[in-house]
Amino acid sequence: MGKIVVDGATTIAKTDENYICMTIDYWPFNECSKIPCLWDGNASVLNLNLSLPTLTKAVQAFKTLRIRVGGSLQDKLIYDIGSFKGNNNCPRFARDSNEMFQITEGCLSIERAIVTFGLNALLGRHPTIGMLWEGDWNYTNAEDLIQYTIEKNYQIDSWEFGNEMVGHNSIGANIPAAQYAKDLIKFREIIDRLYNKSQQKPLIVAPGAFFDVPWYEDFVNKTGQGVVDVFTHHIYNMGAGDDPKIIQRFVDPNYLSQESSVFQQLENIVKVHAPWSVPWVGEAGGSSRGGSPNISNTFIDGFWYLDQLAMAALYNTKVYCRQTLVGGHYGVLLPHTLAPSPDYYGALLFHQLMGPGVLKVDNNISSYLRTYAHCTKGRSGVTMLFINLSNQTEFRIEIENKMNMSLANNPAHREEYHLTPSNGLVRSSTVLLNGNLLEATEDGDLPNLMPIYSDTNSISIATWSIVFVVIPNFQAPACK
């Protein structure tokens, strides 16, 4: 028996109300002949059937779900509008070994552009040495698109500038901080001018890159105050999807904890250099290169995903965008069928139960028992998240309130949501909630996520399990 102590006196961090975010990409091709395919072209924004009941019901279950549309090809995408309208009949992406990403520029028909906020930041530039690109951004096409959305009264929450084109881990192209900052200043002028009479001005999001401390500090200082609202970074810390040793990292608490330094460093940069802004995780798929087969779409992926959702929140990360909603092995909706993966249900429970207020937790039991606490979303009390990375030890715990030291004198029905893999197989593509299989119907109707209730003093956390616990009577002044 061990004790977990939660401090409900004050929040140590805060997320956005819509913390959970999913991404949709532009990738247009099928990358293999086998099913499930690494990347199904029907999962692309260019082809995705947005009216499919399985898709719409999965999104509607969140009530409000942030969608980030973009990815590698957003910087090769021309919008069929303004001076670019009718240019070469709006060509599709095509294979070309001489082009960046071995794909030509493509065109987005404006009828589908209402869902995007990832803008092409490469237009107008030219390659020089290696991956270095120079020249000013040609903003006319993006400006025409933004103007169009305003005229149509489309509500765009955020416009993101570019994708993975800066810092020491840039992909495909690299733009110096000074040039990127210059273009963002111009972008701010465009947003302020076009939305001058609007009651709701979208956020400017940048740089959508892998975190690089010197580059981010240089970029922030060169853009200056009030230019960028949100600083995003991308995470694929579990390694390449085809790495045979990758599975070991999902149950290694020391490896999982390493990413906390990145969250902390970006939080510090924002506090010191850009206090008007906030940090987001703009894209995170765990495993890179489309995800890891039989891992990214199975129960074990939740050890990384839910742990990192909660870890990022500790450092005032406001939004966390999962790669992807649909597409690749890491899609939370499985290829072709769009059936929810175990991570989908984990994300939905996190969204429904874990509120914005983040609380301090003292856990001296084991590093294999990952423990987090938030104010319960939309009601009183505290919700805790437990992740048991061990397949050997079942933890039995008691939760104490640092303020009144015990919950035993004020019993109430505690809600428990125990997620375990089907048949005990950690690489299962299906998940049990309190022992019951979670399975959507062919029409996409989702099962009810019903808790079990308990008023005992102790909670059992089974081996290889993920558990949400809602404690409605927990006295937490920080949550009022």
Side-chain angles (χ1 to χ4, degrees), residues 170-193:
S170 58
I171 306 296
N174 186 280
I175 301 171
Q179 180 64 59
Y180 215 65
K182 177 183 177 182
D183 297 326
L184 259 300
I185 292 169
K186 178 61 182 179
F187 188 35
R188 167 55 67 190
E189 182 273 319
I190 292 170
I191 291 294
D192 288 347
R193 172 167 45 83

Side-chain angles (χ1 to χ4, degrees), residues 330-381:
Y330 40 37
V332 297
L333 301 180
L334 301 177
H336 307 289
T337 65
L338 299 186
S341 71
D343 276 357
Y344 172 86
Y345 291 111
L348 184 57
L349 283 170
F350 195 108
H351 175 77
Q352 291 176 343
L353 302 175
M354 305 283 273
V358 184
L359 304 173
K360 186 177 184 297
V361 178
D362 291 326
N363 170 13
N364 297 315
I365 297 174
S366 171
S367 62
Y368 283 86
L369 180 63
R370 316 291 279 185
T371 310
Y372 302 94
H374 285 215
C375 299
T376 300
K377 193 168 191 175
R379 48 192 169 126
S380 62

Side-chain angles (χ1 to χ4, degrees), residues 54-70:
T54 48
L55 177 63
T56 56
K57 290 175 183 177
V59 171
Q60 288 169 355
F62 284 83
K63 295 185 179 177
T64 52
L65 177 63
R66 188 184 300 272
I67 300 288
R68 178 251 186 182
V69 181

Side-chain angles (χ1 to χ4, degrees), residues 219-231:
F219 171 65
V220 171
N221 291 329
K222 284 184 167 63
T223 50
Q225 184 168 350
V227 174
V228 178
D229 300 303
V230 175
F231 287 93

Side-chain angles (χ1 to χ4, degrees), residues 237-297:
N237 62 310
M238 304 308 285
D242 56 359
D243 184 343
K245 296 181 180 179
I246 193 172
I247 193 169
Q248 301 167 14
R249 298 171 194 146
F250 286 83
V251 292
D252 182 344
N254 295 321
Y255 187 89
L256 292 174
S257 293
Q258 290 175 11
E259 199 64 25
S260 64
S261 65
V262 173
F263 297 126
Q264 186 172 47
Q265 288 177 87
L266 182 54
E267 181 188 33
N268 289 339
I269 287 175
V270 166
K271 282 182 178 178
V272 174
H273 299 282
W276 60 86
S277 68
V278 295
W280 287 10
V281 173
E283 180 181 315
S287 311
S288 60
R289 302 179 187 175
S292 183
N294 303 313
I295 292 180
S296 295
N297 51 13

Side-chain angles (χ1 to χ4, degrees), residues 388 390-397 459-464:
N388 187 352
S390 172
N391 69 338
Q392 301 292 323
T393 305
E394 176 180 327
F395 295 100
R396 194 164 187 83
I397 62 166
I459 303 170
S460 294
I461 312 297
T463 57
W464 274 349

